[in-house]
Amino acid sequence: MKIEEFPLQALMEITARPPLVFVAGEGSWLEDHAGRRYLDFVQGWAVNCLGHSPRVIREALAAQAARLVNCSPAFYNAPSARLAALIARASGLERVFFANSGAEANEGAIKLARKWGALHRGGAYEIVTFEGAFHGRTLATMSASGKAGWDRLFEPKVPGFPKARLNDVGTVERLLSERTAAVMIEPIQGEAGVLPADPQFLRALRALTRERGILLILDEIQTGVGRTGTLFGFEQAGVAPDIMTLGKGLGGGVPLAALVAAEAVSCFAHGDQGGTFNGNPLMTAVGCAVMGNARRAGFPRTRARDRSPSARAARGALYAAGAGRSAWRGAAARARARARRGCRRRRGGARPRTADQLAAAGVPALHAGADGDRGGDRPDDRHSGGGDRGGVETTSSGAYGREPGWVSSCSFPRGRRVTGGNPGGFPPVRPRGRRVTGGNPGGFLPVRPPAEGG
């Protein structure tokens, strides 16, 4: 099928997309309208924690669709109750409200904190957030975010979100007042460039909020559901939030998010919160399947070491999902180091050091694009185009589209040849001394998948 046969002009223009249409996916692989296969490092912007179209999600969807799709959130349904219980037991927070996106879950967290402040802190409504934070694209979550340039978009903003500096508890303390209801933070800032909150800082923040009698909200849209090596990111620091939000990986590819809160904080009255599709049986059945897999012993670390054919086919998804807290930064750092060495061997030039020099040398980044809901997971926003290129990472060296290049050796099975052009995205790859030629129209890496049993 030719790309001209798709009615793409009916879609609203919100980003620049590459000239291809994806029609199928399995594990770590995507297939476009022309039958080309791509090794996908993006995985739906950190959403497909089990890879593309895993059997467990297909079966959960089929089984639940045959029984009940939606009965309205005015009634109980079995899958939502099961998933709420799974999340409550795993997190230690007793109450769960389901949503459709991370932004919606964060919007609910803001409302809950303000309602709690009105009831228990004399009308307190301010929520301290952080420079560089990304909490979503609704008007309130944009106001809560600290993303550069957003302070001038869609004015006037929702008031009540003073900004502190990450890993500086003093700046938080100076912003606290009788108007403060909560502090809201991501354990790892993804949109800002993969900036972790230090465990000591999170512990100090938890102690400070308890001392002042205010709430701690952890935005775990990016870090939840096994992405940092534990089920929730807060476990890495040994802290317990009052409110937590989940999304992305919770649905494994379907729209599902959650607002999770301690019993003492869950103060919504009837009518304060709701949503037409929230907690519907179809989506929460998938969430049950995902949580069941994520809670299995060894997920995700053991799977990352598994050398079976099925695990090798899923390895790209594991890199995208993160097989430990250092995976976000480590994979990108290793790829860039290899690219620097390749640049010196190929061109005899000085080692590039700045972001501009790296971009000029065609150095790849392993995570790409801007997130339509919550922002991308880019190791370095400075040479990803600031989110203006949609789901495709762009590098500026045109020569790499016509000759062998360098990228992380985890991208390809050893000993297998790759062909194709790449004018719009990652440079072609030469894994560990093996030559690769051709191009890649569209930005991802077209590669030959591992042979079964190999």
Side-chain angles (χ1 to χ4, degrees):
M1 190 171 184
K2 297 180 179 179
I3 193 168
E4 293 80 11
E5 298 177 49
F6 293 91
L8 304 181
Q9 69 280 359
L11 293 170
M12 187 176 292
E13 279 290 319
I14 58 165
T15 189
R17 295 183 174 99
L20 57 85
V21 177
F22 285 122
V23 297
E26 184 176 4
S28 301
W29 303 89
L30 280 168
E31 183 177 318
D32 72 9
H33 63 284
R36 292 183 294 256
R37 291 174 63 82
Y38 303 79
L39 179 59
D40 180 14
F41 285 98
V42 180
Q43 289 293 332
W45 289 311
V47 167
N48 304 329
C49 60
L50 303 179
H52 289 285
S53 303
R55 177 183 296 177
V56 65
I57 289 182
R58 298 199 310 268
E59 291 177 349
L61 283 168
Q64 187 59 45
R67 293 175 60 85
L68 179 64
V69 171
N70 196 352
C71 61
S72 161
F75 306 102
Y76 293 119
N77 70 76
S80 68
R82 285 197 300 269
L83 182 56
L86 286 171
I87 294 171
R89 283 197 297 267
S91 67
L93 301 172
E94 295 88 351
R95 295 286 184 166
V96 180
F97 170 80
F98 290 113
N100 305 292
S101 69
E104 187 183 356
N106 281 335
E107 185 94 14
I110 292 167
K111 289 171 64 176
L112 184 61
R114 287 190 168 189
K115 179 67 180 285
W116 181 88
L119 294 175
H120 301 289
R121 276 186 61 83
Y125 65 94
E126 288 187 349
I127 299 174
V128 176
T129 57
F130 290 84
E131 297 170 358
F134 191 100
H135 296 297
R137 294 182 180 272
T138 66
L139 200 56
T141 54
M142 287 184 72
S143 302
S145 300
K147 182 176 171 65
W150 275 18
D151 55 332
R152 298 180 297 277
L153 285 176
F154 310 120
E155 293 296 304
K157 289 290 192 300
V158 177
F161 298 100
K163 304 295 188 295
R165 286 197 299 273
L166 187 67
N167 294 323
D168 186 343
V169 73
T171 63
V172 178
E173 192 165 10
R174 286 192 289 274
L175 292 172
L176 300 184
S177 71
E178 68 281 355
R179 299 185 302 274
T180 307
V183 176
M184 185 175 190
I185 187 171
E186 302 159 278
I188 299 175
Q189 289 187 347
E191 179 75 10
V194 190
L195 305 178
D198 293 335
Q200 310 93 283
F201 172 70
L202 286 176
R203 289 191 285 269
L205 198 59
R206 174 72 281 189
L208 176 63
T209 53
R210 280 184 174 149
E211 177 189 333
R212 297 295 187 91
I214 59 180
L215 304 179
L216 178 62
I217 305 171
L218 289 185
D219 175 348
E220 293 244 17
I221 308 301
Q222 296 271 16
T223 54
V225 196
R227 189 126 193 262
T228 67
T230 51
L231 191 59
F232 305 115
F234 70 76
E235 298 175 75
Q236 302 279 342
V239 300
D242 301 297
I243 299 173
M244 175 179 67
T245 54
L246 299 171
K248 289 190 178 286
L250 181 62
V254 305
L256 180 64
L259 163 62
V260 191
E263 179 72 42
V265 178
S266 301
C267 55
F268 280 144
H270 291 184
D272 283 353
Q273 184 68 329
T276 303
F277 301 104
N278 297 41
N280 72 78
L282 191 63
M283 298 299 99
T284 51
V286 174
C288 289
V290 170
M291 283 291 289
N293 273 262
R295 297 185 68 207
R296 290 187 312 181
F299 178 91
R301 295 181 186 276
T302 302
R303 286 177 59 110
R305 292 191 294 267
D306 189 345
R307 300 187 66 84
S308 67
S310 60
R312 289 177 62 184
R315 192 157 296 152
L318 287 169
Y319 276 104
R325 192 171 191 272
S326 64
W328 289 24
R329 292 172 294 168
R334 289 191 296 273
R336 289 181 180 136
R338 275 188 284 272
R340 291 189 189 102
R341 292 195 296 270
C343 180
R344 295 179 68 185
R345 285 194 293 267
R346 287 159 46 79
R347 300 183 180 182
R351 174 183 174 182
R353 296 180 182 275
T354 69
D356 290 341
Q357 288 173 321
L358 289 170
V363 177
L366 295 186
H367 303 262
D371 194 328
D373 173 42
R374 287 198 32 86
D377 303 316
R378 299 183 296 279
D380 191 339
D381 203 10
R382 290 168 297 183
H383 55 287
S384 68
D388 292 332
R389 295 289 299 167
V392 175
E393 170 67 33
T394 58
T395 54
S396 60
S397 176
Y400 278 83
R402 295 182 295 276
E403 61 185 20
W406 299 82
V407 75
S408 170
S409 61
C410 71
S411 306
F412 295 90
R414 293 188 181 93
R416 290 179 171 83
R417 188 175 179 82
V418 180
T419 60
N422 179 26
F426 295 108
V429 184
R430 185 179 177 182
R432 299 193 179 180
R434 293 176 174 85
R435 188 172 182 84
V436 181
T437 60
N440 172 26
F444 295 103
L445 298 167
V447 300
R448 184 175 301 161
E452 284 301 318

